[in-house]
Amino acid sequence: MAYPDDLLSSGEHVVIHKHPHWKMLLLPVFWLLVVVAAATFLAGLVNEQSWATIAWIALAVVAVVLALWLTITPLLRWRTTHFIVTSERVMYREGVFNRTGLDIPLSRINSVRFQHSLLDRVLGCGTLIIESASDEPLEFDDIPQVEKVHTLLYREVNDNPDDDYRPRTLDERA
């Protein structure tokens, strides 16, 4: 899915667009299973009681609220988080109701590196670290295929024609 073209400047195109890795959804799915299992177990316990209907309604309300809070909210947060590399900048957007964004022009990027643990390597994700003109490096966690993103971003930074530090080619030297 491409990022909306109306947010890009003229001549700018999306090189890569990623959401955080699906491993972020493991805990919400676990909590959904726990909520459903606990609600089902408790509904079975109160089945023989005279006040079972009221208990079932209360259990259903509590289960729906917990499912929304522990499962749907993280799913929406995952879906609305974007890591985008364009031909001119790196963009990071996150948030459902309160959106935050970060743009880093490619010409301001000093270095790009990545790191991932053994589990991240098995799952195919990691942390991308971008050092720019800002004081501290920016870390983007749970980037899928982090090595590929690192390589593409490095290539975009070094192939940028506006970069003052780009080495001249043999044709330009002559």
Side-chain angles (χ1 to χ4, degrees), residues 9-69:
S9 62
S10 65
E12 183 178 20
H13 65 277
V14 174
V15 176
I16 195 162
H17 177 205
K18 299 279 185 181
H19 292 284
H21 194 266
W22 56 263
K23 81 174 188 177
M24 288 184 62
L25 300 175
L26 291 177
L27 197 56
V29 169
F30 169 76
W31 283 118
L32 178 64
L33 295 175
V34 167
V35 166
V36 169
T40 304
F41 176 74
L42 292 173
L45 285 179
V46 299
N47 190 26
E48 300 295 324
Q49 306 300 324
S50 61
W51 43 271
T53 306
I54 296 171
W56 287 343
I57 292 171
L59 281 171
V61 168
V62 169
V64 166
V65 167
L66 285 174
L68 284 172
W69 179 46

Side-chain angles (χ1 to χ4, degrees), residues 82-130:
H82 303 271
F83 180 82
I84 303 114
V85 177
T86 71
S87 55
E88 297 179 11
R89 59 189 162 156
V90 173
M91 300 165 51
Y92 186 76
R93 304 285 189 267
E94 67 179 342
V96 179
F97 299 112
N98 295 324
R99 300 277 295 161
T100 58
L102 173 71
D103 289 3
I104 307 169
L106 292 180
S107 60
R108 302 276 183 175
I109 295 177
N110 296 332
S111 68
V112 181
R113 60 189 171 101
F114 68 91
Q115 63 185 26
H116 46 176
S117 65
L118 179 60
L119 179 62
D120 286 342
R121 291 181 71 187
V122 169
L123 294 176
C125 65
T127 301
L128 188 69
I129 302 160
I130 298 175

